[in-house]
Amino acid sequence: SNLNINDVLGNYSLTLVDALDTLAIMGNSSEFQKAVKLVINTVSFDKDSTVQVFEATIRVLGSLLSAHRIITDSKQPFGDMTIKDYDNELLHMAHDLAVRLLPAFENTKTGIPYPRVNLKTGVPPDSNNETCTAGAGSLLVEFGMLSRLLGDSTFEWVARRAVKALWSLRSSGTGLLGNVVNIQTGHWVGKQSGLGAGLDSFYEYLLKSYILFGEKEDLDMFNAAYHSIQSYLRRGREACNEGEGDPPLYVNVDMFSGRLMNTWMDSLQAFFPGLQVLIGDVEDAICLHAFYYAIWKRYGALPERYNWQLQAPDVFFYPLRPELVESTYLLYQATKNPFYLHVGMDILQSLEKYTKVKCGYATLHHVIDKSKEDRMESFFLSETCKYLYLLFDEENPVHKSGTRYMFTTEGHVVSVDRHLREAPWKEFFPDERGHAAGSSLRRPAAPDLKVINSSSNCNRVPDERRYSLPLKSVYMRQIDQMVGLI
Ligand code: DMJ
């Protein structure tokens, strides 16, 4: 009866595992080393637990791989995070977990995985054939990393096949995908297309897979998806900081007709400005971020769903989600406008005021009466705290180092390096169609990261605007009015 409770826990010390690289980013080597040893010595996946494939992948597999790479990094930018006698244990654990997740990709007619597996026995006999697009189609970063670290194509292949299967089911008219699909028939059960729950990380991972692995096909899919998003989901005036009309908003539409399906936006969608920063669409990011910040100011938190027509929440809980902080951090990196430091302060102060409890931070059950639940999601430590910390830590190695870092959808830091752009199995399967070595999946000769990661994109906000509001005050007021703040 509580929509906020889902079965992600797995009985495998989720919070401890999910928080590992946060300790490294905070430069706390003794706690990092202690936590890694605890994980190695006490966590086992040989459990009769049924887990969500997506959650286990992004929270556990992703964290193990990130920590493994921090430990084995010859440069040790975060301080001494090495572990005495480390024998790739975290990588082996990641492998063990991934193998236990593989049954989800078997006996599915489309290649789109089952949403849940039992870590001991595989897909439960009474399994649901329906899955959400984000859950099934955002496994490629972690599975691809694992494959490339092990030199075993299996994991990347199943994850890539799932992305391609979903992609092939997009509407031929709008290019949009729905939010729930039947993995046997390929029929869309949920025809809602939007940027929030059910689809969010699908888009994110098309771009991030390209950043990490340099496969041009991922960028092509991302660009096509972004084009459809701009054509069918975006409403309001054309430019964020110019002209007349409503502020730009991204709405939920029917994937086939493009018609509006409802008038709510969910708090998950607040990640999107951060993704727009990565592709250099900073101006548009500023507007959507400002809208979410206005909602935050009104409630001191983000309600899970906010109805922009009724100017009121539709769903009231706030489980300490990171998305607004994540976008704030990335917008600050792109613009260096101190406005975003103030946003961060504001968020930090409300977290302290409304969610802090004796042994941690609590989910808000209701953003208006501020009642709490006895629950702190693991992403609070892996994402919300990490992004807040990084926002204020100008000197952090993530910002200073020559290595370029990227964050997984769960906020795990991974360095973007040449090693992950090598897929050794390609030598053995140079032409196999549909396999990771298939012709359409081949890497471009010289991966052109400039498209995404160049400083010129980040400099698009002119210097003279750096110390003024990122959004003209007239537009800020317009948003504040729409959210009922004034
Ligand atoms: C996280 O687990 C990830 O960011 C995921 O992609 C979406 N939701 C939560 C945080 O809100």
Side-chain angles (χ1 to χ4, degrees):
S1 63
N2 184 348
L3 182 66
N4 179 30
I5 305 287
N6 73 21
D7 52 350
V8 295
L9 292 178
N11 190 22
Y12 40 35
S13 307
L14 179 64
T15 300
L16 173 69
V17 176
D18 211 1
L20 290 178
D21 65 313
T22 301
L23 293 167
I25 281 188
M26 292 180 176
N28 195 335
S29 52
S30 56
E31 285 302 307
F32 176 78
Q33 287 158 342
K34 193 166 135 194
V36 167
K37 284 183 198 150
L38 257 177
V39 169
I40 292 173
N41 294 331
T42 65
V43 175
S44 157
F45 301 122
D46 191 23
K47 290 230 148 76
D48 185 14
S49 285
T50 298
V51 299
Q52 295 182 30
V53 175
F54 171 69
E55 300 292 354
T57 299
I58 65 165
R59 300 195 198 205
V60 184
L61 190 58
S63 184
L64 294 172
L65 293 176
S66 166
H68 166 73
R69 295 191 70 214
I70 288 171
I71 296 166
T72 53
D73 184 348
S74 59
K75 297 197 196 84
Q76 290 296 305
F78 302 107
D80 181 10
M81 301 292 159
T82 56
I83 304 284
K84 198 166 168 283
D85 299 326
Y86 182 68
D87 193 16
N88 297 319
E89 285 91 341
L90 297 186
L91 181 61
H92 295 313
M93 289 179 74
H95 186 202
D96 176 41
L97 175 61
V99 168
R100 291 170 191 275
L101 299 178
L102 280 182
F105 298 86
E106 290 160 11
N107 304 319
T108 133
K109 292 206 179 88
T110 58
I112 301 170
Y114 282 92
R116 288 179 172 76
V117 285
N118 182 291
L119 294 175
K120 248 192 168 92
T121 57
V123 176
D126 59 343
S127 241
N128 192 344
N129 277 328
E130 292 168 8
T131 188
C132 75
T133 306
S138 345
L139 307 166
L140 186 52
V141 163
E142 289 80 5
F143 274 51
M145 248 197 303
L146 181 67
S147 270
R148 287 165 193 246
L149 289 172
L150 296 173
D152 175 351
S153 62
T154 310
F155 307 98
E156 178 164 338
W157 188 74
V158 290
R160 196 168 274 285
R161 184 181 57 167
V163 174
K164 293 181 76 166
L166 285 161
W167 186 247
S168 71
L169 295 173
R170 72 194 183 281
S171 151
S172 55
T174 63
L176 296 171
L177 290 87
N179 56 348
V180 182
V181 70
N182 183 305
I183 65 165
Q184 304 299 358
T185 63
H187 286 134
W188 289 103
V189 181
K191 297 182 180 58
Q192 179 179 303
S193 200
L195 298 178
L199 275 151
D200 49 355
S201 50
F202 178 77
Y203 302 120
E204 181 184 356
Y205 268 21
L206 292 179
L207 183 64
K208 290 188 172 175
S209 298
Y210 173 68
I211 293 176
L212 209 51
F213 309 129
E215 305 282 1
K216 170 102 167 21
E217 176 185 69
D218 295 331
L219 181 63
D220 291 343
M221 285 189 280
F222 176 79
N223 283 336
Y226 197 72
H227 181 74
S228 295
I229 288 168
Q230 296 304 319
S231 310
Y232 293 98
L233 304 188
R234 192 179 183 284
R235 303 286 151 95
R237 65 177 174 271
E238 207 171 307
C240 166
N241 246 316
E242 266 171 44
E244 294 188 357
D246 289 333
L249 274 192
Y250 291 82
V251 297
N252 298 319
V253 303
D254 179 287
M255 63 177 282
F256 294 110
S257 66
R259 268 199 290 275
L260 188 71
M261 274 187 88
N262 50 52
T263 55
W264 50 259
M265 51 207 276
D266 63 20
S267 92
L268 288 167
Q269 199 204 110
F271 89 100
F272 196 68
L275 190 66
Q276 291 186 301
V277 166
L278 291 193
I279 55 162
D281 204 351
V282 178
E283 282 293 343
D284 210 55
I286 287 171
C287 254
L288 185 58
H289 174 276
F291 203 96
Y292 275 100
Y293 177 47
I295 304 174
W296 183 284
K297 279 190 290 187
R298 175 146 179 212
Y299 301 103
L302 279 189
E304 187 68 356
R305 274 186 199 168
Y306 177 79
N307 192 313
W308 44 264
Q309 193 170 60
L310 303 176
Q311 296 191 358
D314 270 352
V315 178
F316 289 85
F317 65 85
Y318 170 62
L320 306 167
R321 286 198 192 282
E323 286 76 9
L324 181 61
V325 188
E326 175 184 354
S327 290
T328 305
Y329 161 62
L330 290 163
L331 268 165
Y332 179 64
Q333 287 301 316
T335 64
K336 291 291 168 187
N337 190 320
F339 170 78
Y340 293 107
L341 296 176
H342 289 285
V343 174
M345 269 306 287
D346 207 359
I347 293 175
L348 188 57
Q349 280 165 358
S350 352
L351 287 173
E352 290 291 307
K353 186 164 168 199
Y354 300 124
T355 71
K356 191 170 183 175
V357 289
K358 202 169 161 204
C359 298
Y361 290 76
T363 290
L364 283 186
H365 181 65
H366 199 289
V367 294
I368 295 175
D369 69 20
K370 306 288 190 292
S371 54
K372 301 182 187 68
E373 289 182 25
D374 184 11
R375 180 175 175 84
M376 185 179 91
E377 284 279 356
S378 68
F379 52 66
F380 179 68
L381 295 181
S382 75
E383 293 193 77
T384 315
C385 291
K386 183 185 287 146
Y387 289 128
L388 268 175
Y389 186 88
L390 283 172
L391 173 65
F392 298 113
D393 190 21
E394 299 268 359
E395 302 300 315
N396 196 281
V398 167
H399 308 136
K400 292 281 164 191
S401 152
T403 315
R404 288 192 272 209
Y405 287 103
M406 191 190 82
F407 295 95
T408 69
T409 192
E410 185 72 3
H412 297 303
V413 69
V414 289
S415 60
V416 181
D417 64 35
R418 208 167 286 279
H419 184 55
L420 288 180
R421 292 175 165 238
E422 285 156 13
W425 55 85
K426 289 192 173 178
E427 283 173 29
F428 301 104
F429 311 106
D431 290 318
E432 198 188 325
R433 284 208 159 260
H435 197 280
S439 53
S440 61
L441 301 175
R442 209 165 285 140
R443 270 184 305 160
D448 184 11
L449 264 186
K450 272 186 289 174
V451 182
I452 293 152
N453 216 1
S454 81
S455 55
S456 61
N457 283 338
C458 299
N459 288 342
R460 275 186 44 199
V461 177
D463 270 355
E464 63 271 18
R465 277 185 48 204
R466 196 163 275 185
Y467 296 102
S468 55
L469 284 175
L471 188 60
K472 285 181 190 152
S473 53
V474 51
Y475 296 133
M476 278 287 190
R477 268 203 307 280
Q478 183 193 29
I479 288 179
D480 284 353
Q481 240 159 17
M482 276 183 74
V483 174
L485 272 170
I486 48 178

